[in-house]
Amino acid sequence: VAERLEAPPRPTAVHRALDLIAERWTSLILREAYFGVRRFDEFQRGLGISRAILTDRLRRLVDAGIFERRPYRARPRRFEYRLTEAGLDLYPIFIAIKDWGERWVPEAGEARVRLRHRLCDHDTTARVVCAHCGEPLRAREVTYTVSRGRGR
Amino acid sequence: VAERLEAPPRPTAVHRALDLIAERWTSLILREAYFGVRRFDEFQRGLGISRAILTDRLRRLVDAGIFERRPYRARPRRFEYRLTEAGLDLYPIFIAIKDWGERWVPEAGEARVRLRHRLCDHDTTARVVCAHCGEPLRAREVTYTVSRGRGR
């Protein structure tokens, strides 16, 4: 019982996901990637990050399956970091978190990133909706059941 | 320059938000709250968390404006922790993160939480869409401009 009181339970899916992206440099690297940055030197210059930290964070993101490391030059051999499907799938969530942060933990004088949705040609913010009916998901309107997973 | 290379830049809105919710116990407390838990003892029993850690995390969540502490009994004086508008606004993002985690960092045999949307009476997952046109937000279809904030 003592142990149960000391150690947190196994990480849930939420926490496994947050563990991968919550670290500050990691979230900044992801932001750059969503802005189109792919190469080590561009990340390094854009963020003013040390090469050691950048190397470490990129490796973690590759290990997590969020980035894929691809050669783009043979001599000297150079790699770029491309978002995988998992990394791209994280993008809208990242934007939703950004919107929440700007709304609820604003910081005076902070530069704002305004997003434009090319598809509809309007400024955009993220909205999280039910994948079935398209209405916004609200805590009070969602119930849940817990089932054992079948493993994967 | 050395300092710039050592210290991460000021936290962005994304990181300020993640800082508030990414800690493991905190994300579990939020999960319980979204399931309807409000009282200290219920959080404590449900999570097997020590009273000291729970007290600390609840205080942080109150300070962050995610929970509001409200008296529900006068003698002895007891409080419950209610989600604020900011806390409720975080719910759909939390679900989107859960969906991402289950999809991309699955864990064999893990219990699954199945969500049912009472509004449409179907099982649901989160979808993040453009608040203007309702289409899914994709990194390749969003451009951005950076503008200085006016402060708040």
Side-chain angles (χ1 to χ4, degrees):
Chain A
V1 174
E3 194 189 8
R4 185 155 183 247
L5 289 176
E6 300 295 330
R10 288 197 309 168
T12 59
V14 169
H15 199 265
R16 290 199 302 278
L18 289 173
D19 248 3
L20 296 176
I21 63 167
E23 190 271 331
R24 192 175 301 179
W25 282 121
T26 303
S27 66
L28 289 168
I29 290 167
L30 278 172
R31 185 189 66 185
E32 297 297 302
Y34 293 134
F35 289 166
V37 171
R38 293 178 177 177
R39 299 186 177 175
F40 191 95
D41 291 342
E42 290 175 276
F43 283 115
Q44 216 240 312
R45 270 197 308 273
L47 295 172
I49 185 176
S50 80
R51 299 181 74 84
I53 294 177
L54 180 56
T55 301
D56 174 75
R57 298 306 190 275
L58 288 172
R59 201 196 53 238
R60 285 172 201 236
L61 284 162
V62 170
D63 289 348
I66 290 171
F67 281 153
E68 188 181 19
R69 195 163 170 263
R70 281 204 215 159
Y72 70 89
R73 193 193 288 154
R75 248 168 281 174
R77 198 157 165 80
R78 290 280 181 273
F79 294 89
E80 60 183 17
Y81 296 85
R82 307 279 289 264
L83 290 156
T84 60
E85 200 191 335
L88 290 169
D89 205 26
L90 198 51
Y91 172 77
I93 300 175
F94 200 85
I95 300 305
I97 296 171
K98 166 190 172 295
D99 289 347
W100 188 93
E102 287 181 350
R103 178 164 186 199
W104 296 109
V105 280
E107 192 166 284
E110 180 173 64
R112 287 292 188 96
V113 178
R114 238 174 74 191
L115 302 176
R116 186 122 189 132
H117 194 209
R118 288 194 307 184
L119 216 58
C120 67
D121 202 27
H122 281 85
D123 285 356
T124 187
T125 55
R127 177 176 294 161
V128 188
V129 301
C130 166
H132 184 82
C133 73
E135 289 297 313
L137 276 182
R138 295 185 190 90
R140 306 287 181 246
E141 293 167 354
V142 176
T143 57
Y144 68 100
T145 49
V146 178
S147 57
R148 292 292 331 159
R150 290 161 305 174
R152 283 218 223 183
Chain B
V1 174
E3 195 189 6
R4 186 157 183 247
L5 290 177
E6 300 295 330
R10 289 197 309 168
T12 59
V14 169
H15 198 265
R16 291 198 302 279
L18 289 174
D19 249 3
L20 295 177
I21 63 168
E23 190 271 331
R24 192 176 302 179
W25 282 119
T26 303
S27 67
L28 289 168
I29 290 166
L30 278 171
R31 186 190 67 185
E32 297 296 302
Y34 293 134
F35 288 167
V37 171
R38 294 178 175 178
R39 300 188 175 172
F40 192 94
D41 292 340
E42 289 174 276
F43 283 115
Q44 216 240 311
R45 269 197 307 275
L47 295 173
I49 184 176
S50 80
R51 299 182 74 85
I53 295 178
L54 180 56
T55 301
D56 174 75
R57 298 307 191 275
L58 287 172
R59 201 194 54 238
R60 285 173 201 235
L61 284 162
V62 169
D63 289 348
I66 290 171
F67 280 153
E68 189 181 17
R69 194 163 170 263
R70 281 204 215 159
Y72 70 88
R73 192 193 289 156
R75 246 168 284 176
R77 199 159 165 78
R78 290 280 181 275
F79 294 89
E80 60 183 16
Y81 296 84
R82 308 278 290 263
L83 290 157
T84 61
E85 200 190 335
L88 290 169
D89 206 25
L90 198 53
Y91 171 77
I93 299 174
F94 199 85
I95 300 305
I97 296 170
K98 166 190 172 295
D99 289 346
W100 189 92
E102 287 181 351
R103 177 164 186 200
W104 296 107
V105 278
E107 192 166 284
E110 180 173 64
R112 286 294 187 95
V113 177
R114 238 174 75 191
L115 301 176
R116 186 120 188 134
H117 193 209
R118 287 194 306 185
L119 216 59
C120 68
D121 202 26
H122 281 85
D123 284 356
T124 187
T125 54
R127 177 176 293 161
V128 188
V129 301
C130 167
H132 183 81
C133 73
E135 288 297 313
L137 278 182
R138 295 185 191 89
R140 305 287 182 247
E141 292 167 353
V142 176
T143 58
Y144 69 99
T145 51
V146 177
S147 55
R148 293 288 337 155
R150 291 160 305 173
R152 284 220 222 181

